[in-house]
């Protein structure tokens, strides 16, 4: 880990946080995105939903940097290797973490699965996985009792 390494709220260590999309300084004073950002986010989602991952990637990057947390989550899925694109697990983890930190439930759920299975070279941590699953359920207003993960995964 280099001297520029940082640790996010969810415990992932990044060597180069510059590779993460940054919040846009072009957000409006009301916290919303400017129209071109909204259009880019909509176009990115449409391309992603039609499995045009390579084409959606730059637009998702722009939308994620502008605070569209679903775009961060979708971009994380691309970096998991969706659509045959090159995998970048540290960046996928960081993007899921960014989405979860912003209370986007699917980002927390993705992190929960990663911790539960010990995927992406992350050490298996069932208590952390459970914590993230409950956070995802809380965000989506699902009773925490419905969000219990098995004690042991193989």
């Amino acid at each position: 880990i280099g001297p520029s390494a940082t640790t996010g709220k969810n415990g992932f260590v990044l060597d180069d946080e510059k590779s993460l999309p940054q919040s846009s300084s072009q957000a409006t004073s009301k916290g919303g995105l400017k129209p071109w950002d909204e259009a880019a986010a909509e176009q990115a989602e449409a391309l992603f939903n039609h499995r045009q991952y390579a084409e959606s990637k730059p637009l998702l990057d722009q939308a994620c940097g502008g605070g569209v947390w679903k775009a961060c989550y979708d971009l994380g899925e691309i970096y998991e290797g969706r659509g045959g694109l090159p995998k970048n697990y540290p960046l996928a983890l960081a993007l899921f973490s960014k989405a979860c930190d912003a209370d986007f439930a699917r980002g927390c759920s993705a992190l929960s699965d990663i911790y539960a299975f010990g995927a992406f070279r992350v050490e298996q941590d069932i208590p952390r996985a459970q914590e993230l699953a409950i956070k995802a359920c809380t965000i989506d207003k699902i009773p925490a009792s419905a969000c219990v993960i098995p004690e042991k995964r193989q």
Side-chain angles (χ1 to χ4, degrees), residues 130 133-149:
Q130 186 64 52
I134 290 171
K135 180 177 179 179
C137 287
T138 302
I139 293 166
D140 279 349
K141 297 179 178 32
I142 298 169
S145 60
C147 299
V148 178
I149 61 170

Side-chain angles (χ1 to χ4, degrees), residues 80-120:
E80 278 185 301
R82 191 175 273 233
L85 296 176
K87 295 176 184 176
N88 184 333
Y89 292 142
L91 190 51
L93 291 169
L95 287 159
F96 292 146
S97 184
K98 184 174 183 173
C100 181
D101 289 348
D103 291 336
F104 185 74
R106 286 166 59 187
C108 300
S109 181
L111 289 175
S112 175
D113 288 346
I114 290 165
Y115 275 114
F117 288 104
F120 298 178

